[in-house]
Amino acid sequence: DIQMTQSPSSLSASVGDRVTITCRASQSISNSLNWYQQKPGKAPQPLIYAASGLQSGVPSRFSGSGSGTDFTLTISSLQPDDFATYYCQQSYSDVRFGPGTKVDIK
Amino acid sequence: QVALKESGPVLVKPSETLTLTCAVSALSLSNARMGVAWIRQPPGEALEWLAHIFSTDAKSYNTYLRSRLTVSKDTSNNLVVLTLTNMDPADTATYYCARLGQRLGQYYFDFWGQGVLVTVSS
């Protein structure tokens, strides 16, 4: 059973900041890692697939990297619309989501 | 435009069986490699994958809930159905269905329904 962790669990940032969120798998998952953004009261929306693929329609300030056990979601310049909770999700063996990282306004 | 919509009871009693339906639009469940998943989220908590089913009728279940879950599809009506038996207050959550898309050889959830909040209470 592959466990997923995320760090930090929450962070406060300002508009324009560079933000990095880390996701770690308990064993190698190759590039089977996806990222989602969720706003309060809404369904999650895909941002990144296969560790680094940018979902259609997602701004280019979002990027993903990593392989094996360690992955990163980066927002190059935080915008007001980006304050949300971010989840990683592995699809290597069944499906498991990370616990989430809440990004709020400093 | 691809759309998914969940429907079902918003209130169930403990020990009852929950049955939820996901109606899929603009995509056929009979398409090759078409998959639909169920995911839930207790209030204020993280997402939890429950199960998914493909057009081939291949199914996969959350290990910890397997004994209580059943997923099925009605291809002629483009519906996916989830049942969860022996409901408990800990099963109170928003239940989502989502399409399993595939890019670069990896599956991910590319279209989501709006979700339905199911409360378990006597």
Side-chain angles (χ1 to χ4, degrees):
Chain A
D1 193 20
I2 299 175
Q3 304 297 318
M4 307 299 293
T5 58
Q6 284 183 237
S7 61
S9 56
S10 65
L11 66 91
S12 296
S14 301
V15 172
D17 283 353
R18 182 181 182 88
V19 169
T20 299
I21 299 169
T22 297
C23 177
R24 178 165 290 172
S26 59
Q27 65 187 71
S28 177
I29 58 171
S30 184
N31 69 332
S32 302
L33 193 283
N34 309 306
W35 290 96
Y36 302 85
Q37 178 193 68
Q38 186 180 32
K39 297 180 180 178
K42 300 294 186 182
Q45 295 300 313
L47 294 174
I48 301 288
Y49 56 85
S52 60
L54 188 66
Q55 174 72 0
S56 176
V58 173
S60 59
R61 62 180 179 273
F62 290 92
S63 64
S65 65
S67 67
T69 60
D70 294 324
F71 301 86
T72 299
L73 173 70
T74 300
I75 309 171
S76 61
S77 177
L78 197 68
Q79 297 302 301
D81 191 48
D82 302 338
F83 292 98
T85 299
Y86 294 86
Y87 292 95
C88 62
Q89 172 250 318
Q90 67 85 9
S91 56
Y92 183 82
S93 174
D94 283 338
V95 174
R96 181 66 69 100
F97 288 91
T101 295
K102 184 177 181 181
V103 177
D104 60 22
I105 302 172
K106 181 184 285 185
Chain B
Q1 176 74 359
V2 177
L4 298 95
K5 186 173 175 62
E6 307 88 350
S7 61
V10 296
L11 180 64
V12 298
K13 291 181 168 55
S15 81
E16 289 186 340
T17 294
L18 171 68
T19 299
L20 294 172
T21 299
C22 176
V24 182
S25 304
L27 280 173
S28 172
L29 290 178
S30 60
N31 287 355
R33 286 184 275 181
M34 173 67 177
V36 173
W38 287 94
I39 297 147
R40 72 179 181 180
Q41 185 173 37
E45 297 186 25
L47 299 162
E48 179 182 34
W49 167 77
L50 298 176
H52 60 248
I53 185 168
F54 285 100
S55 55
T56 58
D57 211 37
K59 303 165 188 175
S60 189
Y61 293 101
N62 181 307
T63 300
Y64 301 101
L65 294 167
R66 179 187 299 271
S67 63
R68 299 172 53 207
L69 284 167
T70 303
V71 65
S72 61
K73 61 183 174 66
D74 175 353
T75 303
S76 57
N77 291 301
N78 238 31
L79 301 172
V80 176
V81 178
L82 180 81
T83 64
L84 180 61
T85 61
N86 194 23
M87 291 289 282
D88 181 89
D91 296 312
T92 293
T94 296
Y95 286 75
Y96 297 100
C97 61
R99 200 277 289 253
L100 270 162
Q102 188 179 29
R103 294 291 300 273
L104 299 178
Q106 302 299 334
Y107 282 103
Y108 70 113
F109 304 114
D110 58 354
F111 294 97
W112 293 65
Q114 64 189 23
V116 57
L117 175 61
V118 178
T119 301
V120 184
S121 175
S122 55

